[in-house]
Amino acid sequence: MTAALAVLAGAALAQPVTITWFVGLGAGAQPEQQAAQDAIVERFNAEHDDIRLEIVYVTNEVSVTTLSTLIATGEAPDIVGPVGGAGSAAFAGNFLDLTPLIESTGYDLSQFPEAAVENQRTDEGLIGIPFASFPAFLYYRPALFDEAGLEYPPAEIGAPYVLDGQEVPWDIDTLTEVAKRLTVDANGYDATEPEFDPTQTVQWGFVNQWAGAGAARQNVTLFGPGLLVDEAGNAQMPDNWREGWRWYYDAIWTHHFMPSADEDGSDLLAAGNPFESGNVAMAQSHLWYTCCLSGTEWDAAALPAYDGEVTARLHADTFRIMRQTDNPEEAFEVLTYLTGPASMDLLAVYGGMPTRPGDQAAFFAALDEKYSQGVNWDVARAHVAFADVPSHETPMPNHNRANDRLDQFKSLLDSQPGLDVDAEIDRLIA
């Protein structure tokens, strides 16, 4: 080899490996989050000569289709995330078992609770490093309760509510009554009054915030956990979820305290971010919603009980390496950077509670700087113990097709009055 060829060969060997990070299956695709992620990519590249990290953003609505196409065409990214159970279930069989890389690098898993590590283990092996937990709880706007002369919802799970001077259980029935009183039309009548005009609603009592595409099962977890597939692999609708869908539909079309699809997308409700608009009094959502909620005129409260039990849906997100990667060692180095040195910056914009116990105090302190009203973060911590088991993100046969059909079902309920809900559920199951 000539000296010139040796120089060229050496230059070729020195070229950094490119690792592609695909964002969109879960959090991270919102405009508010992209700047922080871009900064982390820039910082990683400045610190590494041998790896070049590139980030690709795809909206949630098309993320599953886009990733499926990339896999089918042999162009799969190296890393996807943050992604939780639902997004992972859609691509079962496509993730790399990290065990050999953890063993070869000596990566320390003891920094995480053992249960959190085991939560990342599937039939494929250990496919993730624990990263973020997102418990669901109740967001509410105190000013709207004050205006209606209502007590705030309780912060303690299982505590009673004071309605009209009487202690009553904080359950679905009480939430329904309170939500109706907090739903107001343009003439100032609330949804409990005969003069109320639902076509002129300007304030709603309750919403399931961002429980839409690919996540239809989230909407009925207030009524307890459930599975849509029985032990024999047949489709089913648990009785508690059937009751939940009836309640959900009546909330929109009979009691009018939850917005329809058209109302949700209106300018009055911030074009699809209803609680952020200030015109919704209560919202069930996850801790990740702090990513995209401005202002300080809100607080956290307990979710209501159904049949004496409280169920708080739980998301647990991390990053995964695709088994199709050509560079598993470099991808693992990026993965441990995202879940290590970059984790607190990412958790701050995702709104995820750190899985590392030692990081949680700093995480909530950072949230206090953003939300100076004094949010009761103990509410979020407490709801972890009431997680839905089995999870609403449990994989289903033909998972993507099943989710598409569930989305169609939810969209129908959101947009069409006068339906026979039980008949639509039976059609869904069939």
Side-chain angles (χ1 to χ4, degrees), residues 86-339:
S88 298
F91 295 98
N94 282 284
F95 301 117
L96 188 70
D97 180 9
L98 303 180
T99 304
L101 291 164
I102 289 170
E103 293 176 349
S104 65
T105 61
Y107 186 82
D108 180 17
L109 288 174
S110 68
Q111 61 191 297
F112 306 105
E114 183 178 355
V117 174
E118 292 306 308
N119 187 52
Q120 297 297 330
R121 198 178 301 279
T122 70
D123 293 340
E124 301 170 67
L126 187 65
I127 61 172
I129 291 173
F131 175 62
S133 295
F134 303 90
F137 54 91
L138 193 70
Y139 292 76
Y140 74 97
R141 294 194 174 275
L144 299 186
F145 278 78
D146 292 341
E147 186 178 321
L150 291 166
E151 298 288 333
Y152 302 153
E156 181 183 348
I157 296 173
Y161 182 75
V162 178
L163 184 64
D164 299 330
Q166 301 292 321
E167 280 196 356
V168 295
W170 181 238
D171 57 15
I172 290 290
D173 290 339
T174 302
L175 180 138
T176 298
E177 175 63 22
V178 171
K180 288 162 65 176
R181 297 191 191 189
L182 289 162
T183 300
V184 182
D185 68 15
N187 296 311
Y189 295 109
D190 71 51
T192 67
E193 298 176 291
E195 298 88 350
F196 174 75
D197 183 356
T199 68
Q200 299 295 317
T201 305
V202 295
Q203 178 182 298
W204 288 261
F206 177 83
V207 70
N208 274 315
Q209 179 76 34
W210 288 352
R217 289 179 287 176
Q218 292 189 62
N219 289 276
V220 285
T221 53
L222 280 178
F223 288 74
L227 293 172
L228 292 180
V229 182
D230 66 18
E231 293 180 356
N234 299 310
Q236 65 174 1
M237 181 62 72
D239 289 343
N240 57 312
W241 280 15
R242 187 178 285 264
E243 177 65 20
W245 283 118
R246 292 191 201 105
W247 176 86
Y248 177 91
Y249 190 73
D250 285 345
I252 299 171
W253 301 109
T254 301
H255 304 306
H256 307 290
F257 64 78
M258 194 155 65
S260 67
D262 286 344
E263 291 167 335
D264 188 274
S266 69
D267 290 341
L268 192 60
L269 290 180
N273 191 354
F275 189 75
E276 166 72 357
S277 72
N279 295 320
V280 174
M282 295 180 287
Q284 178 188 212
S285 196
H286 292 263
L287 186 59
W288 47 247
Y289 183 51
T290 56
C291 75
C292 308
L293 178 59
S294 63
T296 58
E297 298 78 28
W298 61 273
D299 204 347
L303 290 172
Y306 169 73
D307 199 22
E309 300 291 334
V310 172
T311 303
R313 63 195 195 216
L314 179 68
H315 291 167
D317 282 9
T318 189
F319 304 89
R320 307 207 187 282
I321 298 176
M322 304 297 290
R323 65 173 178 79
Q324 295 88 346
T325 182
D326 293 326
N327 303 287
E329 290 83 8
E330 290 82 359
F332 186 69
E333 187 168 348
V334 172
L335 181 76
T336 56
Y337 187 87
L338 297 177
T339 59

Side-chain angles (χ1 to χ4, degrees), residues 79 236 371:
I79 292 176
Q236 65 174 1
Y371 300 110

